[in-house]
Amino acid sequence: MTEDFDLAIVGGGPAGLAAGLYAARMNLRTVLLDRGPLGGQLLNTELIEDYPGFESILGHELAAKMGEHARKFGLDLREFQQVSEVDMEGEHKIVRLEDGGEVRAPALILASGGLPRKLEVPGEVEFAGRGVSYCAVCDGAFFKGKELAVVGGGDAALEEADFLTRYASKVYLIHRRSEFRAQPVLQDRARSNPKIEFILDAQLQEIVGEAQVAGVRYLQNGERKELAVGGVFIFVGFLPNSDLLRPHAEHDEIGYFITNRDLETSIPGIWAVGDVRAQLTKQIATAVGDGTTAAVGASQYLDRLRDRATATA
Ligand code: NAP
């Protein structure tokens, strides 16, 4: 079955939900499709302290609030809808769903976010779900009283290392350099946490164990070392979920979409917002700003299409 809308949004994180809220409030017939529950990366974040107006709010609470807010303006929110393909037919964008359904709209906003980057060391795949994790909020509680390794030196690694000390007896933060790219506030918090020990200038080489993770091997200043840990949390960056459109739209070498000032991709009528777009930061505030810009851009685009149709009628 094909359903027609003015605007389709793929992805229900902060960028998609903000776009949906604005679009619905501008009376555009808008549908938002997410392959999982609403919230995107918000669901992998325990506490949010850097979204203006909310001194401190849980990630899943903010996700629920954003969803309710957008619904109130009439956004058609559909969870657990896996998109299999995006196609173009003239001015229409066709979003095909794995369940066989189809959504058609002249405007499409891609807010599909991304997934954690893999470290690509032996043991990572073998022990996934058996001690290797990419989400502290999801899995931290399974590691009560254990010693853990966290890998990475960005915001996610420093923030999640601190979070994991709620459960773990000790967290070793293994980073390949001695400088961190994480924000100073997160570095200070981790440094002042007595349960966190830094292992710097160290490259993790292997994750070992039998049924479960039992340790890691790493190289530090040319010396091979081993550490006994009950789990490994990997936070070495993020890769965009841009496969749906990557063959058609301009993107950078990693796969992030390149957009113009209005966040439109190289394909007219398709916008990219939030973590799937090439930009400086991946913050909730920027994602929300992106969603807003794209919704307004989409509305103006639809007006232009209508004007053109009227002029040629
Ligand atoms: P990131 O900022 O890209 O940091 C990735 C870290 O992993 C870097 O320290 C990097 O080391 C390291 N790394 C990458 N590849 C590696 C490899 N093969 N082996 C070992 N280490 C490797 O990623 P992120 O921390 O996931 O953050 C992604 C984005 O989300 C950022 O824009 C961040 O600001 C944002 N974010 C914000 C918050 C917050 O504001 N509270 C929380 C989480 C994430 P090098 O430094 O040596 O390159």
Side-chain angles (χ1 to χ4, degrees), residues 50 119 153-156 159 175-177 181 183 236-237 283:
D50 53 6
L119 194 54
D155 286 344
E159 194 165 71
H175 178 38
R176 64 180 175 185
R177 295 190 295 141
R181 61 177 76 217
Q183 302 164 44
V236 294
Q283 299 291 314

Side-chain angles (χ1 to χ4, degrees), residues 18-305:
L21 183 153
Y22 269 79
R25 198 158 178 270
M26 289 186 290
N27 281 338
L28 302 182
R29 284 173 306 137
T30 307
V31 64
L32 184 152
L33 307 157
D34 195 298
R35 66 177 165 194
L38 292 179
Q41 290 297 310
L42 288 177
L43 303 180
N44 297 335
T45 310
E46 165 75 358
L47 200 61
I48 290 152
E49 295 176 313
D50 53 6
Y51 188 55
F54 293 86
E55 209 171 292
S56 164
I57 184 164
L58 295 171
H60 69 86
E61 278 178 6
L62 185 57
K65 275 182 186 290
M66 285 185 178
E68 278 160 31
H69 195 169
R71 247 188 210 112
K72 204 182 121 202
F73 287 119
L75 176 66
D76 186 343
L77 273 174
R78 302 186 187 177
E79 299 173 280
F80 303 103
Q81 296 285 319
Q82 178 82 43
V83 174
S84 57
E85 200 181 4
V86 172
D87 214 348
M88 259 74 66
E89 273 177 22
E91 258 146 16
H92 280 104
K93 283 79 194 174
I94 316 291
V95 181
R96 298 207 170 88
L97 299 168
E98 250 171 26
D99 68 6
E102 208 172 86
V103 159
R104 185 167 61 178
L108 169 68
I109 295 179
L110 273 184
S112 46
L115 286 171
R117 185 200 294 271
K118 301 278 187 292
L119 194 54
E120 291 175 11
V121 295
E124 183 178 18
V125 172
E126 295 83 335
F127 290 108
R130 294 192 291 128
V132 170
S133 170
Y134 304 86
C135 178
V137 175
C138 323
D139 299 329
F142 298 123
F143 295 89
K144 277 199 183 107
K146 297 225 160 115
E147 296 204 345
L148 298 176
V150 165
V151 188
D155 286 344
L158 277 281
E159 194 165 71
E160 304 307 341
D162 186 62
F163 172 75
L164 285 166
T165 60
R166 289 174 188 213
Y167 309 106
S169 55
K170 179 149 193 155
V171 171
Y172 296 95
L173 189 101
I174 302 177
H175 178 38
R176 64 180 175 185
R177 295 190 295 141
S178 55
E179 314 264 293
F180 291 100
R181 61 177 76 217
Q183 302 164 44
V185 63
L186 300 176
Q187 295 185 41
D188 291 346
R189 197 174 291 167
R191 279 205 181 90
S192 62
N193 185 330
K195 282 184 165 184
I196 299 180
E197 184 177 327
F198 289 84
I199 300 181
L200 303 179
D201 295 312
Q203 290 84 41
L204 194 131
Q205 296 203 303
E206 190 178 357
I207 299 166
V208 295
E210 287 187 6
Q212 292 282 324
V213 167
V216 292
R217 296 195 178 121
Y218 63 95
L219 195 65
Q220 192 178 35
N221 305 318
E223 209 182 317
R224 288 182 184 285
K225 298 188 176 174
E226 201 162 322
L227 188 67
V229 288
V232 183
F233 282 77
I234 298 170
F235 301 107
V236 294
F238 199 75
L239 291 173
N241 283 326
S242 54
D243 301 19
L244 281 174
L245 210 65
R246 209 183 303 158
H248 314 291
E250 198 187 335
H251 57 80
D252 69 9
E253 67 283 359
I254 301 174
Y256 290 101
F257 292 121
I258 311 285
T259 58
N260 67 12
R261 193 195 66 163
D262 300 342
L263 312 189
E264 196 172 14
T265 65
S266 55
I267 303 175
I270 302 187
W271 288 258
V273 295
D275 291 354
V276 78
R277 175 171 94 81
Q279 61 173 319
L280 178 63
T281 61
K282 292 194 179 59
Q283 299 291 314
I284 303 163
T286 39
V288 165
D290 275 13
T292 309
T293 301
V296 174
S299 170
Q300 292 179 352
Y301 174 83
L302 291 166
D303 285 344
R304 287 196 298 276
L305 286 186

